[in-house]
Amino acid sequence: YFCCNEKVISIRTMSLTIGIGMSLENNLIYPTSPDQKSKTAVCVLLEKDGLFLSVTRKNDHTDFGLPGGKLDFGETLIQCAKREVLEETGYELNVDPYNPFMKLDENGMFTITFKANFATNNPTKQSTSEKETGLVSFVNKEQLYSGSFGDYNKVMLNHFGH
């Protein structure tokens, strides 16, 4: 699904060019130039026992959101999701490329969230990137609703049946 201007549109084609200079090809979006990095964000939703893997903002350790970040030029969405989660949380995940939640906001920011699960049955938290200073925790959906991206999280969690 592609959410634009609060209307959800089902994407039926496997190849589509979006008007902000990105192409959707087999559920992967690639920036068409290095300067487009800031216009595409990738997040990951991992649910465990009714709680969601989350990380706080660097400057506010009470403001929880999903792990994720900006897509680097030349990187696929799945590569970005895995890299960002490992950098921010220390966990290796398997990312489900099917049925992501996507939203293009009024400023041209494209955000996509994939469901994921741990890469192993006994996940081991590795050390996080030194530049990452957010706290990692499993939180309930109300905590995600109250964060900086609460409006996005409400629609996204509904998309995934939560």
Side-chain angles (χ1 to χ4, degrees):
Y1 292 94
F2 184 78
C3 182
C4 183
N5 298 329
E6 302 309 313
K7 294 181 181 176
V8 177
I9 304 161
S10 177
I11 296 177
R12 302 254 182 242
T13 178
M14 293 303 281
S15 180
L16 173 72
T17 298
I18 301 170
I20 58 173
M22 292 179 283
S23 63
L24 176 65
E25 182 94 19
N26 298 327
N27 291 332
L28 299 178
I29 295 179
Y30 302 94
T32 56
S33 66
D35 64 339
Q36 213 166 25
K37 174 182 171 184
S38 65
K39 290 293 187 181
T40 306
V42 180
C43 300
V44 173
L45 179 69
L46 184 143
E47 185 259 337
K48 180 183 174 191
D49 301 325
L51 300 175
F52 303 95
L53 179 63
S54 302
V55 63
T56 63
R57 310 278 298 169
K58 294 174 187 177
N59 59 348
D60 183 352
H61 287 176
T62 65
D63 185 358
F64 283 94
L66 298 179
K70 304 258 173 55
L71 180 67
D72 289 340
F73 180 67
E75 184 176 52
T76 69
L77 293 172
I78 302 301
Q79 289 168 336
C80 177
K82 289 180 176 185
R83 175 184 54 76
E84 286 288 348
V85 171
L86 185 60
E87 286 176 0
E88 292 182 2
T89 71
Y91 289 114
E92 288 189 34
L93 303 181
N94 291 323
V95 177
D96 180 358
Y98 301 103
N99 194 31
F101 177 76
M102 298 178 267
K103 183 174 182 182
L104 177 64
D105 73 16
E106 62 279 355
N107 298 315
M109 185 67 184
F110 185 78
T111 305
I112 183 165
T113 300
F114 293 99
K115 286 187 82 171
N117 55 43
F118 288 114
T120 65
N121 289 334
N122 298 310
T124 303
K125 187 176 184 309
Q126 300 176 28
S127 61
T128 57
S129 170
E130 289 181 16
K131 65 181 181 177
E132 300 297 339
T133 58
L135 300 177
V136 178
S137 184
F138 280 85
V139 301
N140 61 40
K141 62 184 176 181
E142 286 74 23
Q143 288 171 283
L144 290 176
Y145 294 166
S146 67
S148 295
F149 302 102
D151 291 339
Y152 175 88
N153 289 335
K154 287 177 187 175
V155 179
M156 176 273 304
L157 285 170
N158 185 60
H159 168 82
F160 289 119
H162 295 284

